Amino acid sequence: MSDRTGIFAGDDPFEIVRSWLSEAETTETNDPNAIALASVDEDGLPNARMVLLKDIEADAFVFYTNYGSTKGRELTASGKAAFVMHWKSLRRQVRVRGLVEREEGPQADAYYRSRSLKSRLGAWASDQSQPLDSRTTLMAEVARVTAKHGTAPARPPFWGGFRIRPVEIEFWADGAFRLHDRFRWTRAGPGADWQIARLNP
Ligand SMILES: Cc1cc2nc3c(=O)[nH]c(=O)nc-3n(C[C@H](O)[C@H](O)[C@H](O)COP(=O)(O)O)c2cc1C
């Protein structure tokens, strides 16, 4: 008999993440959808940074960035990613590991169009993760792309989404005396059946 009840209950881990995130939207001060995203460089040295999770699909998680950035290059090279969400207000975390693919079709275009004009132009102006000699240079680049692209810029070809298809999702919730609850969902690959195990804290 499973003791996976309450906030851990359900047959669809994406549904559980959606439910935890929607709870966090009411309790977190800022960016409840922030994830600490990990990639590895060509030597296997890990790298982590925050990004915003923009979609929880039926079978994947999606965020947006510059493909030429450090993360963009590392994710493209390895095809793998991990991320963690931590909500201090709920004392819960979700950990995800999986395979990565780009979302650079109509869905990326639609998300790009949904952003403010300044953000859309900023995506054109920023050669993300490359050295920059001064803020003045960046603002000059913003002025240049604004003159060039006007008020309806197309999505830059170097900017779009990454879709993470998980092979592992772990739900963690704080318990009394550090006896936390952990449930790890694993599957052989996207589309395969999930196996669920309770883990020691
Ligand atoms: C709360 C928060 C949210 C962020 N969201 C994004 C994001 O959605 N996309 C992005 O490219 N960078 C985002 N950033 C900036 C990244 O953390 C990082 O500085 C940038 O993407 C460059 O990372 P890289 O050099 O490893 O590629 C965010 C930073 C913070 C603190």
Side-chain angles (χ1 to χ4, degrees):
M1 247 288 278
S2 167
D3 62 350
R4 201 168 50 78
T5 56
I7 59 170
F8 293 102
D11 300 327
D12 177 358
F14 297 93
E15 202 44 60
I16 301 174
V17 179
R18 274 187 217 104
S19 148
W20 285 25
L21 176 57
S22 76
E23 219 177 313
E25 279 161 2
T26 68
T27 57
E28 286 289 304
T29 318
N30 280 317
D31 299 329
N33 61 331
I35 63 178
L37 172 79
S39 54
V40 286
D41 73 9
E42 58 198 4
D43 298 325
L45 185 65
N47 213 343
R49 81 290 284 158
M50 305 305 295
V51 296
L52 297 178
L53 187 62
K54 287 295 170 178
D55 268 312
I56 302 176
E57 300 179 334
D59 200 56
F61 300 95
V62 181
F63 71 92
Y64 289 87
T65 194
N66 182 309
Y67 292 135
S69 67
T70 301
K71 82 182 87 48
R73 285 184 283 105
E74 290 180 353
L75 295 175
T76 301
S78 73
K80 293 172 190 152
F83 71 78
V84 59
M85 315 179 82
H86 171 225
W87 299 289
K88 292 184 168 69
S89 57
L90 299 177
R91 298 177 192 276
R92 288 185 216 165
Q93 81 175 338
V94 174
R95 297 167 62 180
V96 173
R97 303 171 75 209
L99 309 179
V100 170
E101 61 192 48
R102 288 186 184 189
E103 168 47 63
E104 48 191 339
Q107 194 174 324
D109 294 339
Y111 173 64
Y112 182 75
R113 276 194 305 272
S114 78
R115 306 175 85 218
S116 73
L117 180 58
K118 285 211 157 68
S119 301
R120 280 177 281 158
L121 291 165
W124 273 107
S126 170
D127 192 2
Q128 193 177 49
S129 312
Q130 292 305 308
L132 175 66
D133 61 8
S134 70
R135 184 145 193 108
T136 309
T137 303
L138 177 62
M139 297 325 283
E141 187 58 16
V142 170
R144 195 187 68 78
V145 299
T146 302
K148 182 168 178 199
H149 296 283
T151 54
R155 179 177 59 82
F158 54 80
W159 190 98
F162 278 106
R163 177 173 284 113
I164 301 171
R165 293 199 185 279
V167 293
E168 189 171 319
I169 305 180
E170 186 197 308
F171 297 92
W172 181 104
D174 186 64
F177 309 110
R178 307 268 164 197
L179 297 178
H180 316 297
D181 288 308
R182 298 175 64 187
F183 288 95
R184 184 180 62 199
W185 298 56
T186 48
R187 59 181 179 177
D193 289 342
W194 289 106
Q195 312 293 321
I196 309 167
R198 182 187 264 279
L199 301 180
N200 273 276

